Amino acid sequence: MAEQSAFQIRLEDNVATALQALEPGTVKLLGDSSFPSIEAVEAVPLGHKIALKEIAAGESIVKYGVVIGRSTKKISKGTWVHLHVMESIYDERSSHLDPVTGAPKDTRYE
């Protein structure tokens, strides 16, 4: 397997962004990180977030050095962080979107 990498934007971030689709295994951390790598424990799609530490239910998700959302349940280190485990604090509609497709779940199209 080719080297996998993710980018941590700020030292205080608790997530990093996958620079390619990640598979379980070692992920090199680029950017502003205090450790060189992390173990991905599940697949993380390209451009999505990987947890750099355990994040408790209700805890802030920090990216760019700012809070971008809140966890809706415990998130384990090395796992995929997306709408299935977090909610946006900026976009109320995000809690009504399918976590994989992004399609609205609260609207019927006929």
Side-chain angles (χ1 to χ4, degrees):
M1 175 180 4
E3 183 176 83
Q4 305 185 107
S5 57
F7 194 87
Q8 183 176 353
I9 298 166
R10 298 280 304 264
L11 196 55
E12 57 269 37
D13 295 349
N14 58 11
V15 296
T17 303
L19 296 177
Q20 68 260 98
L22 304 176
E23 295 298 327
T26 302
V27 176
K28 182 178 179 180
L29 287 175
L30 305 172
D32 196 6
S33 181
S34 58
F35 41 97
S37 65
I38 187 171
E39 283 297 309
V41 297
E42 66 180 345
V44 178
L46 165 68
H48 287 237
K49 297 171 288 299
I50 184 170
L52 298 175
K53 67 177 205 79
E54 185 171 298
I55 302 170
E59 189 175 339
S60 296
I61 306 295
V62 181
K63 184 175 176 181
Y64 316 106
V66 299
V67 176
I68 62 163
R70 183 177 306 103
S71 62
T72 55
K73 59 180 162 181
K74 177 185 160 202
I75 302 171
S76 297
K77 180 179 178 178
T79 61
W80 179 32
V81 179
H82 195 52
L83 297 175
H84 65 295
V85 294
M86 69 168 285
E87 61 187 4
S88 171
I89 60 170
Y90 298 107
D91 180 6
E92 181 185 329
R93 292 267 348 255
S94 68
S95 64
H96 301 286
L97 302 176
D98 181 276
V100 176
T101 66
K105 296 186 298 182
D106 62 343
T107 305
R108 287 187 55 191
Y109 296 97
E110 298 179 24

